[in-house]
Amino acid sequence: MQRYFVPYHELEQELLITGADAHHIKNVMRMRIGMPLLVSNGHVVHYAVIKGFAEQGVRVELQYVVKENRELPIKVTIAQGLPKGDKFEWIIQKTTELGVHELIPVFSQRSIVKVDTKKAGRKLERYNRIAKEASEQSHRSRIPIIQPFMTLEEFMAYGQSFTYRLVAYEASRDEDHHALYHILQKVQEGDSICVFIGPEGGIADEELEQLVKHGFRIISLGNRVLRTETAPIFVMSAIVYELELKG
């Protein structure tokens, strides 16, 4: 069943879906009066029925709250050293499908990409649109938060509020190699995990030193060297397996 994220109050009985979502309902899905759909305000999901079409949009009636369990029991933030091209967009899409709570694009020393401040707003709009569409496709109950671009210093200050602060890096000690496993054995519902992943060129030595000083623990992602866009998928998949699939 099609799902749309729409701002509305939970006590409303009817609402008007407008903009791109209304266009999708009318012209792409070619839905008709009486057809059902799911709408969410990011907190609850309602089963709804199309009641009518107007020039301004699609009028739907909210019928009942859908009980579902689509979200992870912990909040996972991926802080990504900004990669080149459209890799960050791909990372948003795939980590959203896997249940990420928040993504942070970070300018690090070896980031090749430079974003003009005039274009930053448009990029963030696109990032949020990708997150919304991926949430709808994967039947999430909420849309991940896409934070504004941060420097590494800004991110380290922001990261102090997390229960666990991690940095993916090639393990040099046995305890680093098994750190992610041991952390996932300890997490409890409501905890928050933030994982910093470097860009294509990796994390500079002085950056790693600063992250460790700010309480970030080094974790290994296995015996192989992963591409920057593969690493966040690995992290999210490991968390999903441990918290949702492991017997």
Side-chain angles (χ1 to χ4, degrees), residues 13 19 24 38 59-60 62 67 78 155 162 165 167 197 199 210 212 226 229 239:
Q13 294 183 326
H24 189 267
L38 297 175
R59 186 165 51 86
V60 302
L62 305 181
K67 300 295 184 182
I78 296 293
F155 161 66
F162 292 91
R165 301 183 293 281
V167 52
I197 295 166
Q210 286 299 310
V212 171
L226 305 181
E229 67 270 27
I239 292 172

Side-chain angles (χ1 to χ4, degrees), residues 145-157:
I145 300 164
I146 310 295
Q147 292 289 353
F149 295 95
M150 295 186 189
T151 64
L152 187 65
E153 291 71 23
E154 289 170 334
F155 161 66
M156 289 188 294

Side-chain angles (χ1 to χ4, degrees), residues 76-82 88 100 102-106 155 166 194-198 216 232:
V76 183
T77 293
I78 296 293
Q80 178 73 44
L82 203 59
F88 189 61
V100 76
E102 178 183 45
L103 291 122
I104 307 172
V106 179
F155 161 66
L166 313 175
C194 181
V195 184
F196 178 73
I197 295 166
F216 283 78

